[in-house]
Amino acid sequence: MPLPDPSLSWWMTLAALGVITTAAFLVSWLCTEVLHLPRAVYLATLMILTGVLAYGYLAWSGTDGIAFISAHWGWGVLGAALSGLAGFAAVLAGARRRGLPAPPRRRPVRAVGEMIWEGLLYGAAEGMLLSVLPVLAAWQTFALLGWTDTAFGAIGSGILAIVASAFVIWIHHLGYREFRGTPEIALPILGCGVLSVAYLLTRSPIAAMGGHILLHTGMEIRGVPMPPYSKRGLEDPEAAQPRLRLAA
């Protein structure tokens, strides 16, 4: 895992984690609950925000961006394939088990466009925001504290980094009204949490981002809606929940 600029203090990277957490909540809550932005505008906002946060954190913390992306890329591809295909298979199996009808056929150009938008770009943005940045910021905080210098400390720091990522995933999805007050919020925490573990183990953001892309692609192919559901004609949160369970 890349180390931060040694001139930084642990509380500074911890504060950065707080900024990431706050931004993850505000982007979903403000855009969908307060501003009621169209889905395409919301997703574009999410992608831009994630890019700004990623670039800003890497530059501020003194983390080499090129090395951050390229390091351990082979393990990252393997991690993305294993975690993403597992999620892909779970989505397809859940859809078959619960009898979700196949989505209507779309024109090839539209289908490819939606796959790129909903699968590739949306998936990569969420993978970075929810599974990479929180783990990186938490790990660098613990590194500055000296906790990662021993094997026992590194294991404990890794566990805490995954907990931090799970918290960001939870906070982000609370911004969607469909997830509030329902146990279904455990599904994205579990699904995205697996991708956070993949990033931590491989030390490559490709694992989390690629796995998230495959997960979103599976949901798009099988017609399982991705949040915000209210932006896809499912205005009643209760109506969306039976289909939401298919992602389990």
Side-chain angles (χ1 to χ4, degrees):
M1 197 71 71
L3 297 177
D5 189 321
S7 66
L8 296 177
S9 299
W10 65 268
W11 61 266
M12 297 172 70
T13 50
L14 185 62
L17 177 59
V19 171
I20 293 168
T21 304
T22 302
F25 171 75
L26 289 178
V27 69
S28 57
W29 178 68
L30 281 177
C31 291
T32 66
E33 185 78 3
V34 177
L35 300 177
H36 302 289
L37 296 180
R39 181 180 181 85
V41 177
Y42 164 64
L43 294 186
T45 303
L46 175 68
M47 296 168 196
I48 293 171
L49 173 69
T50 300
V52 170
L53 285 174
Y55 177 82
Y57 182 82
L58 293 177
W60 171 79
S61 65
T63 304
D64 187 328
I66 301 298
F68 168 71
I69 294 294
S70 62
H72 312 289
W73 67 267
W75 287 112
V77 171
L78 178 61
L82 294 177
S83 61
L85 290 177
F88 190 106
V91 167
L92 297 183
R96 287 194 299 268
R97 184 172 63 251
R98 298 181 183 276
L100 181 69
R105 288 190 176 185
R106 294 164 290 181
R107 293 181 179 180
V109 174
R110 179 182 177 183
V112 171
E114 290 186 352
M115 204 67 66
I116 293 173
W117 186 250
E118 298 279 348
L120 177 61
L121 298 179
Y122 185 14
E126 279 208 328
M128 175 62 73
L129 179 63
L130 304 179
S131 293
V132 175
L133 289 179
V135 172
L136 177 62
W139 180 272
Q140 291 189 337
T141 298
F142 304 140
L144 290 169
L145 284 168
W147 294 2
T148 62
D149 295 341
T150 65
F152 181 79
I155 292 173
S157 297
I159 293 173
L160 290 175
I162 296 302
V163 171
S165 177
F167 181 75
V168 175
I169 296 165
W170 175 63
I171 288 294
H172 173 70
H173 284 84
L174 281 181
Y176 301 122
R177 63 186 175 94
E178 301 94 325
F179 283 102
R180 292 182 214 133
T182 170
E184 304 300 336
I185 198 170
L187 296 178
I189 295 175
L190 177 61
C192 297
V194 169
L195 302 174
S196 302
V197 173
Y199 169 54
L200 180 67
L201 294 179
T202 63
R203 294 175 290 171
S204 171
I206 295 173
M209 296 173 68
H212 218 112
I213 289 169
L214 289 175
L215 178 62
H216 275 215
T217 299
M219 296 177 74
E220 183 66 21
I221 290 175
R222 196 56 186 84
V224 178
M226 291 175 277
Y229 306 108
S230 59
K231 300 302 178 184
R232 278 198 159 179
L234 299 173
E235 295 297 340
D236 181 5
E238 297 298 325
Q241 289 191 24
R243 300 185 70 186
L244 174 60
R245 295 188 183 97
L246 295 170

